[in-house]
Amino acid sequence: MSIWNSISEFIAYISNAASAGMADVVDAVRSRFAANADLRRRVAFSVAMIALSAKMAKADGVVTQDEIRAFHEIFEVPAREQRNVARLYDIAKQDVAGFEIYAARMARLCGSGKENCPVLEDILDGLFHIAKADGAMHELEGTFLREVATVFKISEAHYETILARHIDLGQADPWRVLGIERGQPFADVKKQYRKLVANNHPDKLIARGLPEEFIRIATTRIAAINAAYEMIERGLKPA
């Protein structure tokens, strides 16, 4: 079942509140959906993506048609709900609070101090998908994404792995995508590849809170992992 009715009700709730600042949105999600942990995770994820997309657009200063298209590729918002989503986007974009405050509260979804949280990586992947939609990662977008990753406690090494899925880093690219040191035996490469495929199966992403509408993240991530593995395999296995 689509969660957009729940999200729209939540957006109406915070829009009518005396203070609609994004810094309080995570706490509002917790209280509003306290009785349903699964729905709470899914709504929190969706709200985070919408809000941080708006903050990224504000940092860059420009919203292109390609970025709008990319947003709708990963968020299949029903026509009747698009107005409410636009309201949340505008609230986030106009809010004077910096994205760091909001991102820090989102990081609490994984508990205090946890590094390389899969849910936060999912959010970061979605932001990358939107940022690169116009064919280039602009400097301000890159700075924004790296700072969000820092707030999310994504390690530098893991961030490079995420970055490599989206940006061509040249010869080291396939090794970085798989998160394995260059030159390792093919048996180790294959083991790491199988682990990544298992961890990023669409069912796993849904289980940890991604809305079904967002499953494009899983398919594009696995496509990048498959391509990287095939590149390494061609280079290491005898013809």
Side-chain angles (χ1 to χ4, degrees), residues 152-174:
F152 281 176
K153 298 187 183 301
I154 303 292
S155 70
E156 181 64 24
H158 197 63
Y159 179 80
E160 290 297 326
T161 296
I162 299 169
L163 181 65
R165 289 202 293 262
H166 298 278
I167 306 297
D168 182 10
L169 297 179
Q171 191 177 17
D173 190 24

Side-chain angles (χ1 to χ4, degrees), residues 21-207:
M22 292 306 299
D24 297 321
V25 165
V26 175
D27 292 335
V29 170
R30 286 199 182 101
S31 61
R32 192 72 172 175
F33 301 100
N36 189 329
D38 178 63
L39 182 60
R40 182 173 67 246
R41 285 194 301 270
R42 296 170 70 199
V43 171
F45 179 89
S46 301
V47 169
M49 274 302 312
I50 295 167
L52 288 175
S53 296
K55 291 294 190 183
M56 184 167 64
K58 185 175 182 179
D60 182 43
V62 178
V63 181
T64 68
Q65 288 301 311
D66 288 327
E67 289 172 341
I68 293 172
R69 173 186 51 76
F71 181 89
H72 286 288
E73 282 176 353
I74 53 178
F75 263 117
E76 297 179 4
V77 185
R80 66 183 182 278
E81 307 294 355
Q82 289 182 9
R83 184 176 179 181
N84 284 321
V85 172
R87 287 170 66 190
L88 178 59
Y89 188 93
D90 288 340
I91 289 171
K93 194 171 180 181
Q94 294 169 13
D95 187 14
V96 295
F99 71 88
E100 299 91 345
I101 296 174
Y102 183 65
R105 295 202 178 186
M106 287 308 308
R108 296 178 191 171
L109 288 173
C110 290
S112 177
K114 184 173 181 179
E115 189 174 84
N116 299 332
C117 170
V119 173
L120 301 180
E121 180 180 350
D122 295 334
I123 295 171
L124 200 59
D125 249 347
L127 293 173
F128 264 106
H129 179 75
I130 295 169
K132 69 179 184 179
D134 56 1
M137 178 71 69
H138 300 289
E139 182 178 356
L140 291 174
E141 291 172 329
T143 299
F144 174 87
L145 290 166
R146 188 173 288 275
E147 290 178 353
V148 168
T150 299
V151 175
F152 281 176
K153 298 187 183 301
I154 303 292
S155 70
E156 181 64 24
H158 197 63
Y159 179 80
E160 290 297 326
T161 296
I162 299 169
L163 181 65
R165 289 202 293 262
H166 298 278
I167 306 297
D168 182 10
L169 297 179
Q171 191 177 17
D173 190 24
W175 297 88
R176 290 191 183 186
V177 170
L178 297 188
I180 191 168
E181 186 177 348
R182 186 172 183 80
Q184 292 299 300
F186 183 69
D188 292 347
V189 174
K190 192 171 186 177
K191 181 179 179 181
Q192 174 70 357
Y193 164 73
R194 288 178 170 173
K195 177 182 177 182
L196 289 173
V197 169
N199 288 343
N200 290 287
H201 189 279
D203 289 346
K204 284 284 186 72
L205 273 69
I206 291 173

